[in-house]
Amino acid sequence: RRRIRTLPMRTEDIQHATSEGIEKTILDVQDSFPAGSLEESIDALITTERVVMFEKTWCLFSRDAKEFLRCQLGVSLTTVPVDLCKNGDAVAHYVKHKTHH
């Protein structure tokens, strides 16, 4: 298993560094990307970050996709665990509406 270390960040953001890629987890989209509404904060997140993954922590597909992106491709990504983050249901609903999935 790969070793992951925590880097100093704001308390609401968790960042794990690996030799392959960096994963930054956002637990409060509106606090990390302040805007007028939650939807505008999500849009700002998507616009600002190169790769954003909205996930559910229990989903094996999400875990495998993150590991593939980080470890196999060396991609740094930002994750939003909708089952843990503040307003997670609203975040998931907006992303579903925005992506038609």
XYZ file of all heavy atoms in Angstrom:
808
model
N 0.844 -1.184 0.000
C 0.000 0.000 0.000
C 0.884 1.239 0.000
O 1.907 1.279 0.659
C -0.868 -0.035 1.253
C -2.115 0.772 1.134
C -3.248 -0.025 0.507
N -4.396 0.834 0.453
C -5.039 1.116 -0.650
N -4.684 0.581 -1.765
N -6.061 1.911 -0.638
N 0.488 2.261 -0.700
C 1.269 3.491 -0.794
C 1.112 4.320 0.474
O 0.066 4.360 1.074
C 0.812 4.307 -1.988
C 0.986 3.556 -3.274
C 0.620 4.457 -4.434
N 0.550 3.719 -5.659
C 1.584 3.308 -6.368
N 2.790 3.547 -5.941
N 1.432 2.647 -7.474
N 2.173 5.008 0.865
C 2.130 5.892 2.026
C 1.602 7.257 1.591
O 1.993 7.784 0.565
C 3.505 6.048 2.628
C 4.035 4.737 3.175
C 5.244 4.997 3.935
N 4.763 5.333 5.276
C 5.517 5.352 6.332
N 6.787 5.098 6.225
N 5.031 5.639 7.510
N 0.732 7.803 2.379
C 0.153 9.110 2.101
C 0.438 9.999 3.303
O 0.272 9.578 4.433
C -1.364 9.003 1.868
C -1.638 8.134 0.639
C -1.988 10.376 1.705
C -3.098 7.850 0.401
N 0.871 11.238 3.059
C 1.113 12.146 4.165
C 0.216 13.367 4.006
O -0.127 13.756 2.904
C 2.574 12.558 4.244
C 3.061 13.377 3.090
C 4.558 13.673 3.240
N 5.027 14.371 2.081
C 5.095 15.686 1.987
N 4.733 16.439 2.995
N 5.529 16.259 0.886
N -0.172 13.935 5.111
C -1.035 15.103 5.109
C -0.185 16.358 5.060
O 0.774 16.492 5.805
C -1.917 15.114 6.370
O -2.655 13.899 6.406
C -2.877 16.276 6.358
N -0.552 17.279 4.173
C 0.135 18.559 4.052
C -0.665 19.630 4.783
O -1.884 19.530 4.885
C 0.264 18.954 2.577
C 1.061 17.998 1.697
C 1.032 18.475 0.266
C 2.490 17.896 2.187
N -0.009 20.662 5.309
C -0.754 21.707 6.017
C -1.677 22.472 5.072
O -1.262 22.882 3.999
C 0.346 22.609 6.585
C 1.564 22.286 5.814
C 1.416 20.895 5.283
N -2.938 22.606 5.468
C -3.932 23.364 4.714
C -4.962 23.901 5.687
O -4.898 23.632 6.870
C -4.644 22.468 3.690
C -3.791 22.017 2.545
S -4.793 21.228 1.305
C -5.683 22.624 0.659
N -5.950 24.585 5.151
C -7.045 25.019 6.010
C -7.736 23.774 6.556
O -7.709 22.718 5.942
C -8.049 25.855 5.209
C -7.449 27.189 4.787
C -8.447 28.046 4.121
N -8.891 27.395 2.888
C -9.892 27.828 2.153
N -10.579 28.876 2.518
N -10.222 27.221 1.041
N -8.373 23.907 7.698
C -8.948 22.740 8.356
C -10.049 22.086 7.539
O -10.254 20.884 7.643
C -9.506 23.110 9.739
O -10.444 24.166 9.600
C -8.399 23.510 10.689
N -10.754 22.841 6.698
C -11.836 22.233 5.930
C -11.346 21.507 4.678
O -12.090 20.785 4.049
C -12.901 23.264 5.555
C -12.435 24.329 4.606
C -11.765 25.501 5.316
O -11.699 25.522 6.556
O -11.289 26.392 4.613
N -10.085 21.714 4.317
C -9.514 21.045 3.158
C -8.492 20.025 3.638
O -7.722 20.279 4.542
C -8.811 22.026 2.222
C -9.760 23.025 1.610
O -10.965 22.736 1.572
O -9.300 24.092 1.175
N -8.486 18.884 3.016
C -7.526 17.839 3.341
C -6.741 17.569 2.073
O -7.324 17.393 1.014
C -8.235 16.549 3.796
C -9.150 16.844 4.977
C -7.225 15.466 4.143
C -10.125 15.756 5.279
N -5.429 17.521 2.165
C -4.619 17.293 0.973
C -3.675 16.139 1.252
O -2.985 16.127 2.258
C -3.852 18.554 0.618
C -3.161 18.473 -0.714
C -2.602 19.824 -1.122
O -2.392 20.694 -0.294
N -2.349 19.984 -2.389
N -3.656 15.164 0.361
C -2.767 14.017 0.469
C -1.767 14.092 -0.678
O -2.149 14.328 -1.811
C -3.541 12.703 0.368
C -4.586 12.556 1.413
N -4.295 12.231 2.711
C -5.922 12.697 1.366
C -5.402 12.173 3.406
N -6.420 12.459 2.608
N -0.515 13.903 -0.366
C 0.516 13.926 -1.394
C 1.056 12.519 -1.594
O 1.283 11.788 -0.647
C 1.651 14.855 -0.994
N 1.216 12.170 -2.832
C 1.879 10.919 -3.176
C 2.946 11.272 -4.194
O 2.960 12.383 -4.718
C 0.895 9.896 -3.792
O 0.442 10.406 -5.046
C -0.280 9.634 -2.875
N 3.804 10.346 -4.491
C 4.831 10.623 -5.491
C 4.215 10.725 -6.878
O 4.808 11.265 -7.787
C 5.899 9.538 -5.458
O 5.322 8.278 -5.701
N 3.013 10.211 -7.042
C 2.380 10.209 -8.351
C 1.535 11.454 -8.610
O 1.549 12.015 -9.673
C 1.480 8.965 -8.513
C 2.232 7.668 -8.520
C 2.530 7.151 -7.119
O 2.033 7.719 -6.124
O 3.273 6.173 -7.015
N 0.746 11.855 -7.661
C -0.155 12.983 -7.855
C -0.673 13.454 -6.513
O -0.474 12.792 -5.501
N -1.336 14.565 -6.504
C -1.862 15.133 -5.265
C -3.378 15.076 -5.314
O -3.986 15.361 -6.337
C -1.394 16.586 -5.083
C 0.112 16.630 -4.887
C -2.101 17.256 -3.909
C 0.700 18.011 -4.859
N -3.974 14.702 -4.197
C -5.421 14.725 -4.066
C -5.784 15.748 -3.011
O -5.304 15.682 -1.885
C -5.952 13.353 -3.662
C -7.451 13.352 -3.417
C -7.969 12.025 -2.907
O -7.223 11.026 -2.946
O -9.111 12.004 -2.463
N -6.601 16.709 -3.385
C -7.101 17.705 -2.441
C -8.588 17.427 -2.262
O -9.327 17.353 -3.238
C -6.872 19.114 -2.976
C -7.381 20.196 -2.041
C -6.952 21.580 -2.468
C -7.697 22.038 -3.679
N -7.472 23.459 -4.001
N -9.027 17.269 -1.028
C -10.426 16.995 -0.736
C -11.067 18.242 -0.157
O -10.551 18.826 0.795
C -10.546 15.824 0.260
O -9.911 14.679 -0.312
C -11.995 15.510 0.557
N -12.193 18.634 -0.709
C -12.916 19.806 -0.241
C -14.183 19.353 0.467
O -15.000 18.627 -0.103
C -13.244 20.751 -1.409
C -11.942 21.281 -1.990
C -14.159 21.880 -0.958
C -12.090 22.206 -3.138
N -14.328 19.783 1.728
C -15.479 19.388 2.532
C -16.533 20.494 2.628
O -17.626 20.245 3.124
C -15.024 18.976 3.934
C -14.067 17.775 3.971
C -13.602 17.515 5.393
C -14.736 16.542 3.382
N -16.219 21.685 2.173
C -17.181 22.790 2.160
C -16.902 23.636 0.923
O -16.012 24.475 0.920
C -17.070 23.623 3.439
C -18.161 24.675 3.555
O -18.772 25.031 2.520
O -18.403 25.141 4.673
N -17.676 23.399 -0.138
C -17.440 24.067 -1.417
C -17.612 25.576 -1.288
O -16.796 26.348 -1.797
C -18.382 23.504 -2.507
C -18.215 24.255 -3.816
C -18.148 22.016 -2.712
N -18.650 26.017 -0.583
C -18.907 27.447 -0.479
C -17.827 28.180 0.306
O -17.515 29.328 0.008
C -20.277 27.701 0.141
C -21.398 27.437 -0.847
C -22.746 27.779 -0.270
O -23.184 27.136 0.667
N -23.395 28.776 -0.837
N -17.253 27.528 1.301
C -16.187 28.164 2.069
C -14.892 28.217 1.259
O -14.163 29.198 1.300
C -15.962 27.409 3.381
C -14.961 28.123 4.278
O -15.141 29.334 4.506
O -14.021 27.468 4.740
N -14.622 27.168 0.509
C -13.390 27.112 -0.285
C -13.467 27.963 -1.542
O -12.448 28.458 -2.023
C -13.084 25.663 -0.665
O -12.865 24.886 0.488
N -14.675 28.122 -2.104
C -14.887 28.913 -3.326
C -16.082 29.839 -3.101
O -17.173 29.591 -3.604
C -15.119 27.993 -4.531
C -13.911 27.204 -4.901
C -13.642 25.992 -4.291
C -13.017 27.695 -5.834
C -12.503 25.267 -4.610
C -11.874 26.987 -6.161
C -11.615 25.777 -5.541
N -15.878 30.912 -2.331
C -16.992 31.807 -1.999
C -17.617 32.436 -3.248
O -16.907 32.890 -4.148
C -16.347 32.885 -1.136
C -15.054 32.309 -0.669
C -14.626 31.343 -1.722
N -18.919 32.414 -3.293
C -19.682 33.031 -4.388
C -21.079 33.324 -3.848
O -21.371 33.041 -2.686
C -19.732 32.097 -5.601
N -21.944 33.835 -4.680
C -23.274 34.207 -4.239
C -24.156 33.037 -3.843
O -24.976 33.139 -2.949
N -23.981 31.901 -4.503
C -24.815 30.735 -4.226
C -23.965 29.470 -4.275
O -22.819 29.490 -4.740
C -25.945 30.627 -5.257
O -25.412 30.310 -6.539
N -24.536 28.375 -3.816
C -23.834 27.091 -3.865
C -23.511 26.721 -5.306
O -22.411 26.261 -5.613
C -24.677 25.998 -3.200
C -24.100 24.578 -3.255
C -22.756 24.517 -2.531
C -25.075 23.582 -2.658
N -24.468 26.953 -6.196
C -24.258 26.626 -7.611
C -23.097 27.425 -8.197
O -22.276 26.890 -8.937
C -25.546 26.879 -8.409
C -26.668 25.937 -8.085
C -27.450 26.297 -6.815
O -27.177 27.378 -6.212
O -28.310 25.501 -6.413
N -23.010 28.694 -7.852
C -21.906 29.529 -8.331
C -20.577 29.070 -7.736
O -19.542 29.123 -8.412
C -22.164 30.999 -8.005
C -23.304 31.598 -8.817
C -23.715 32.971 -8.342
O -23.395 33.341 -7.186
O -24.363 33.688 -9.127
N -20.599 28.612 -6.498
C -19.376 28.081 -5.870
C -18.913 26.814 -6.580
O -17.721 26.621 -6.821
C -19.622 27.788 -4.389
O -19.826 28.980 -3.678
N -19.857 25.942 -6.918
C -19.516 24.708 -7.644
C -18.947 25.057 -9.015
O -17.936 24.490 -9.443
C -20.735 23.782 -7.756
C -21.147 23.285 -6.370
C -20.441 22.610 -8.693
C -22.488 22.588 -6.322
N -19.582 25.999 -9.711
C -19.069 26.423 -11.015
C -17.665 27.012 -10.896
O -16.798 26.747 -11.738
C -20.017 27.439 -11.660
C -21.329 26.806 -12.101
O -21.378 25.569 -12.300
O -22.321 27.556 -12.245
N -17.413 27.786 -9.833
C -16.075 28.358 -9.611
C -15.058 27.250 -9.353
O -13.933 27.300 -9.865
C -16.104 29.340 -8.442
N -15.440 26.254 -8.576
C -14.570 25.102 -8.315
C -14.205 24.408 -9.616
O -13.036 24.150 -9.899
C -15.264 24.125 -7.359
C -14.687 22.725 -7.239
C -13.305 22.762 -6.607
C -15.616 21.841 -6.432
N -15.212 24.129 -10.431
C -14.985 23.416 -11.704
C -14.120 24.244 -12.645
O -13.267 23.707 -13.349
C -16.339 23.056 -12.351
C -17.064 22.015 -11.488
C -16.154 22.551 -13.776
C -18.510 21.783 -11.867
N -14.325 25.554 -12.647
C -13.552 26.436 -13.524
C -12.106 26.579 -13.060
O -11.190 26.629 -13.875
C -14.215 27.830 -13.579
O -15.551 27.677 -14.042
C -13.471 28.765 -14.506
N -11.905 26.612 -11.742
C -10.580 26.871 -11.173
C -9.682 25.642 -11.181
O -8.493 25.740 -11.501
C -10.724 27.383 -9.726
O -11.563 28.537 -9.740
C -9.390 27.729 -9.122
N -10.215 24.505 -10.806
C -9.414 23.284 -10.671
C -9.347 22.525 -11.991
O -10.322 22.479 -12.741
C -10.000 22.388 -9.579
C -10.078 23.039 -8.214
C -8.724 23.335 -7.610
O -7.778 22.547 -7.828
O -8.595 24.354 -6.915
N -8.207 21.907 -12.266
C -8.038 21.165 -13.527
C -8.905 19.923 -13.590
O -9.559 19.656 -14.589
C -6.578 20.744 -13.693
C -5.727 21.792 -14.313
C -4.420 21.197 -14.649
N -4.470 20.825 -16.054
C -3.425 20.789 -16.825
N -2.252 21.059 -16.351
N -3.541 20.457 -18.082
N -8.876 19.112 -12.527
C -9.652 17.877 -12.478
C -10.432 17.864 -11.173
O -9.848 17.966 -10.100
C -8.743 16.623 -12.556
C -9.570 15.356 -12.458
C -7.904 16.637 -13.829
N -11.753 17.751 -11.281
C -12.624 17.697 -10.109
C -13.431 16.415 -10.177
O -14.003 16.083 -11.213
C -13.588 18.903 -10.045
C -14.484 18.810 -8.818
C -12.817 20.211 -10.048
N -13.458 15.697 -9.056
C -14.238 14.464 -8.979
C -15.215 14.580 -7.815
O -14.812 14.782 -6.676
C -13.317 13.263 -8.776
C -14.035 11.966 -8.601
S -12.854 10.643 -8.282
C -13.355 9.505 -9.527
N -16.492 14.486 -8.123
C -17.526 14.427 -7.099
C -17.751 12.951 -6.825
O -18.026 12.183 -7.750
C -18.803 15.114 -7.586
C -18.604 16.585 -7.824
C -18.194 17.054 -9.053
C -18.807 17.487 -6.798
C -17.989 18.413 -9.270
C -18.603 18.852 -6.999
C -18.195 19.310 -8.241
N -17.606 12.555 -5.567
C -17.599 11.139 -5.251
C -18.435 10.829 -4.015
O -18.842 11.725 -3.287
C -16.166 10.672 -4.986
C -15.579 11.345 -3.762
C -14.323 10.691 -3.247
O -14.101 9.500 -3.509
O -13.572 11.373 -2.548
N -18.664 9.557 -3.830
C -19.200 9.035 -2.575
C -18.117 8.124 -2.021
O -17.583 7.276 -2.737
C -20.506 8.288 -2.803
C -21.587 9.245 -3.271
C -22.935 8.616 -3.334
C -23.939 9.677 -3.771
N -25.262 9.134 -3.970
N -17.767 8.316 -0.772
C -16.606 7.635 -0.198
C -16.756 6.118 -0.182
O -15.770 5.407 -0.192
C -16.321 8.130 1.225
O -17.486 7.961 2.028
C -15.911 9.593 1.209
N -17.972 5.618 -0.170
C -18.202 4.178 -0.138
C -18.167 3.546 -1.534
O -18.179 2.333 -1.676
C -19.550 3.855 0.528
C -20.698 4.650 -0.025
C -21.223 5.795 0.503
C -21.434 4.387 -1.213
N -22.250 6.262 -0.274
C -22.408 5.405 -1.352
C -21.385 3.403 -2.190
C -23.306 5.462 -2.407
C -22.290 3.461 -3.240
C -23.238 4.475 -3.343
N -18.087 4.361 -2.575
C -18.156 3.865 -3.956
C -16.802 3.310 -4.407
O -15.809 4.034 -4.489
C -18.595 4.995 -4.882
S -18.652 4.517 -6.622
N -16.776 2.030 -4.703
C -15.533 1.393 -5.144
C -15.073 1.930 -6.497
O -13.870 2.042 -6.751
C -15.713 -0.120 -5.200
C -16.017 -0.796 -3.859
C -16.234 -2.295 -4.054
C -14.925 -0.533 -2.855
N -16.011 2.274 -7.378
C -15.641 2.851 -8.670
C -14.904 4.176 -8.464
O -13.890 4.430 -9.106
C -16.874 3.061 -9.549
C -16.546 3.715 -10.856
C -15.967 2.991 -11.888
C -16.774 5.066 -11.041
C -15.631 3.601 -13.088
C -16.447 5.682 -12.234
C -15.882 4.948 -13.260
N -15.413 5.012 -7.548
C -14.750 6.288 -7.269
C -13.336 6.069 -6.745
O -12.397 6.734 -7.165
C -15.548 7.100 -6.239
O -16.781 7.505 -6.762
N -13.201 5.130 -5.825
C -11.880 4.845 -5.258
C -10.918 4.370 -6.345
O -9.777 4.830 -6.435
C -11.988 3.799 -4.147
C -10.658 3.597 -3.438
C -10.723 2.523 -2.402
N -10.966 1.255 -3.091
C -11.394 0.156 -2.503
N -11.638 0.149 -1.220
N -11.575 -0.941 -3.189
N -11.383 3.459 -7.200
C -10.527 2.951 -8.276
C -10.186 4.041 -9.286
O -9.055 4.117 -9.769
C -11.200 1.775 -8.980
C -11.266 0.528 -8.122
O -10.576 0.472 -7.079
O -12.021 -0.398 -8.480
N -11.155 4.895 -9.602
C -10.909 5.983 -10.557
C -9.882 6.962 -10.002
O -8.972 7.391 -10.716
C -12.216 6.698 -10.891
N -10.008 7.314 -8.713
C -9.027 8.212 -8.086
C -7.641 7.593 -8.095
O -6.658 8.259 -8.419
C -9.423 8.520 -6.637
C -10.518 9.493 -6.480
C -10.679 9.983 -5.061
C -10.611 8.897 -4.026
N -10.879 9.372 -2.664
N -7.556 6.333 -7.716
C -6.255 5.669 -7.688
C -5.640 5.604 -9.079
O -4.449 5.836 -9.255
C -6.378 4.271 -7.094
C -5.027 3.611 -6.933
C -5.076 2.334 -6.123
O -5.932 2.214 -5.239
O -4.231 1.481 -6.391
N -6.454 5.314 -10.088
C -5.957 5.268 -11.457
C -5.441 6.642 -11.893
O -4.343 6.749 -12.440
C -7.056 4.792 -12.421
C -6.617 4.775 -13.853
C -5.771 3.778 -14.314
C -7.027 5.754 -14.728
C -5.348 3.748 -15.634
C -6.615 5.743 -16.048
C -5.772 4.744 -16.505
N -6.220 7.687 -11.650
C -5.802 9.031 -12.046
C -4.515 9.439 -11.346
O -3.583 9.944 -11.979
C -6.910 10.043 -11.746
C -8.132 9.979 -12.650
C -9.268 10.816 -12.082
C -7.780 10.449 -14.047
N -4.459 9.243 -10.033
C -3.297 9.678 -9.252
C -2.082 8.794 -9.474
O -0.982 9.279 -9.731
C -3.636 9.688 -7.759
C -4.168 10.967 -7.257
C -4.233 11.071 -5.731
N -3.584 10.009 -5.001
C -4.225 9.096 -4.254
N -5.516 9.114 -4.139
N -3.566 8.176 -3.617
N -2.263 7.496 -9.329
C -1.110 6.582 -9.299
C -0.660 6.122 -10.682
O 0.532 5.968 -10.916
C -1.442 5.375 -8.431
S -1.823 5.822 -6.732
N -1.608 5.882 -11.569
C -1.235 5.395 -12.895
C -0.926 6.523 -13.874
O -0.013 6.414 -14.672
C -2.349 4.506 -13.473
C -2.690 3.311 -12.623
C -1.534 2.328 -12.498
O -0.823 2.083 -13.468
N -1.341 1.781 -11.316
N -1.706 7.605 -13.795
C -1.519 8.709 -14.733
C -0.772 9.900 -14.129
O -0.379 10.803 -14.853
C -2.879 9.184 -15.268
C -3.690 8.149 -16.041
C -5.005 8.757 -16.511
C -2.908 7.577 -17.214
N -0.615 9.917 -12.800
C 0.084 11.012 -12.141
C -0.686 12.316 -12.135
O -0.103 13.399 -12.064
N -2.012 12.229 -12.203
C -2.862 13.413 -12.258
C -3.163 13.904 -10.841
O -3.518 13.116 -9.969
C -4.188 13.087 -12.993
C -5.166 14.240 -12.913
C -3.913 12.698 -14.431
N -3.030 15.183 -10.624
C -3.472 15.788 -9.368
C -4.945 16.135 -9.522
O -5.362 16.619 -10.569
C -2.669 17.051 -9.063
O -1.326 16.715 -8.820
N -5.722 15.872 -8.486
C -7.151 16.113 -8.599
C -7.737 16.665 -7.319
O -7.156 16.534 -6.248
C -7.892 14.841 -9.006
C -7.901 13.679 -8.029
C -9.247 12.980 -8.095
C -6.812 12.692 -8.401
N -8.895 17.274 -7.465
C -9.654 17.795 -6.341
C -10.908 16.940 -6.216
O -11.616 16.746 -7.202
C -10.036 19.272 -6.577
O -8.828 20.014 -6.731
C -10.839 19.822 -5.426
N -11.149 16.429 -5.010
C -12.329 15.601 -4.802
C -13.299 16.291 -3.855
O -12.896 17.033 -2.959
C -11.961 14.218 -4.224
O -11.275 14.390 -2.988
C -11.095 13.432 -5.192
N -14.576 16.032 -4.090
C -15.643 16.523 -3.227
C -16.479 15.302 -2.838
O -17.239 14.785 -3.649
C -16.522 17.575 -3.932
C -17.632 18.049 -3.003
C -15.693 18.736 -4.443
N -16.293 14.797 -1.619
C -17.081 13.643 -1.180
C -18.491 14.102 -0.785
O -18.689 14.643 0.305
C -16.299 13.112 0.022
C -15.570 14.307 0.548
C -15.315 15.205 -0.624
N -19.457 13.902 -1.682
C -20.790 14.444 -1.457
C -21.488 13.806 -0.260
O -22.420 14.390 0.285
C -21.668 14.347 -2.726
C -21.101 15.225 -3.822
C -21.833 12.926 -3.188
N -21.035 12.637 0.170
C -21.639 12.018 1.354
C -21.045 12.559 2.660
O -21.597 12.302 3.729
C -21.531 10.494 1.297
C -20.111 9.998 1.153
O -19.279 10.702 0.549
O -19.821 8.890 1.619
N -19.974 13.331 2.589
C -19.343 13.895 3.782
C -19.349 15.418 3.821
O -19.266 16.006 4.898
C -17.887 13.432 3.887
C -17.620 11.941 4.002
C -16.123 11.683 4.037
C -18.307 11.347 5.216
N -19.419 16.055 2.669
C -19.258 17.505 2.633
C -20.536 18.227 3.054
O -21.632 17.669 3.021
C -18.808 17.975 1.254
S -20.062 17.969 -0.017
N -20.346 19.473 3.447
C -21.470 20.329 3.822
C -22.367 20.528 2.598
O -21.869 20.762 1.496
C -20.934 21.675 4.321
C -21.994 22.610 4.815
C -21.355 23.861 5.375
C -22.417 24.841 5.823
N -21.815 26.090 6.294
N -23.673 20.408 2.772
C -24.659 20.532 1.688
C -24.440 19.498 0.590
O -24.673 19.760 -0.589
C -24.646 21.946 1.082
C -24.969 23.015 2.080
O -25.873 22.853 2.901
N -24.232 24.108 2.046
N -23.990 18.306 0.969
C -23.659 17.263 0.004
C -24.796 16.874 -0.918
O -24.581 16.668 -2.114
N -26.019 16.788 -0.384
C -27.161 16.434 -1.234
C -27.409 17.506 -2.295
O -27.683 17.188 -3.459
C -28.422 16.226 -0.392
C -28.370 14.960 0.439
O -27.588 14.036 0.096
O -29.107 14.887 1.438
N -27.305 18.769 -1.903
C -27.505 19.866 -2.855
C -26.383 19.897 -3.896
O -26.632 20.150 -5.081
C -27.578 21.202 -2.119
N -25.159 19.611 -3.463
C -24.029 19.547 -4.401
C -24.269 18.445 -5.422
O -24.156 18.653 -6.637
C -22.692 19.314 -3.650
C -21.563 19.018 -4.633
C -22.339 20.503 -2.778
N -24.627 17.253 -4.946
C -24.878 16.113 -5.839
C -26.023 16.421 -6.802
O -25.938 16.105 -8.001
C -25.177 14.863 -5.022
N -27.079 17.047 -6.302
C -28.228 17.376 -7.151
C -27.825 18.357 -8.259
O -28.184 18.173 -9.424
C -29.359 17.959 -6.298
C -30.553 18.357 -7.104
N -31.433 17.433 -7.618
C -30.993 19.575 -7.505
C -32.372 18.067 -8.295
N -32.126 19.372 -8.243
N -27.059 19.389 -7.897
C -26.647 20.373 -8.902
C -25.722 19.746 -9.940
O -25.878 19.992 -11.150
C -25.965 21.581 -8.252
C -25.520 22.602 -9.267
C -26.455 23.334 -9.986
C -24.174 22.811 -9.537
C -26.055 24.254 -10.950
C -23.771 23.738 -10.488
C -24.716 24.455 -11.184
O -24.328 25.356 -12.137
N -24.775 18.938 -9.499
C -23.850 18.294 -10.443
C -24.625 17.350 -11.373
O -24.368 17.301 -12.573
C -22.718 17.558 -9.691
C -21.894 16.701 -10.637
C -21.838 18.565 -8.968
N -25.580 16.628 -10.812
C -26.401 15.729 -11.631
C -27.176 16.535 -12.682
O -27.231 16.160 -13.850
C -27.366 14.948 -10.748
C -28.224 13.975 -11.482
C -29.109 13.188 -10.535
C -29.949 12.186 -11.290
N -30.819 11.404 -10.403
N -27.752 17.655 -12.269
C -28.495 18.515 -13.196
C -27.553 19.102 -14.258
O -27.891 19.125 -15.439
C -29.179 19.630 -12.410
C -29.813 20.673 -13.280
N -30.986 20.436 -13.957
C -29.426 21.938 -13.580
C -31.300 21.525 -14.646
N -30.370 22.445 -14.425
N -26.392 19.552 -13.836
C -25.441 20.199 -14.746
C -24.880 19.224 -15.783
O -24.684 19.586 -16.937
C -24.305 20.821 -13.937
C -23.331 21.640 -14.726
C -22.349 22.328 -13.800
C -21.399 23.214 -14.542
N -22.023 24.395 -15.137
N -24.643 17.992 -15.368
C -24.024 17.014 -16.268
C -25.029 16.094 -16.958
O -24.642 15.282 -17.798
C -23.017 16.132 -15.504
O -23.717 15.414 -14.477
C -21.910 16.971 -14.896
N -26.295 16.195 -16.571
C -27.354 15.341 -17.117
C -27.110 13.864 -16.823
O -27.441 13.001 -17.632
C -27.523 15.564 -18.624
C -27.758 16.996 -18.969
N -28.931 17.655 -18.699
C -26.940 17.920 -19.551
C -28.844 18.902 -19.102
N -27.648 19.095 -19.620
N -26.485 13.569 -15.668
C -26.236 12.172 -15.260
C -26.774 11.942 -13.882
O -26.644 12.656 -12.995
C -24.735 11.872 -15.248
C -24.193 11.668 -16.623
N -24.043 12.685 -17.505
C -23.791 10.573 -17.272
C -23.545 12.222 -18.645
N -23.380 10.944 -18.525
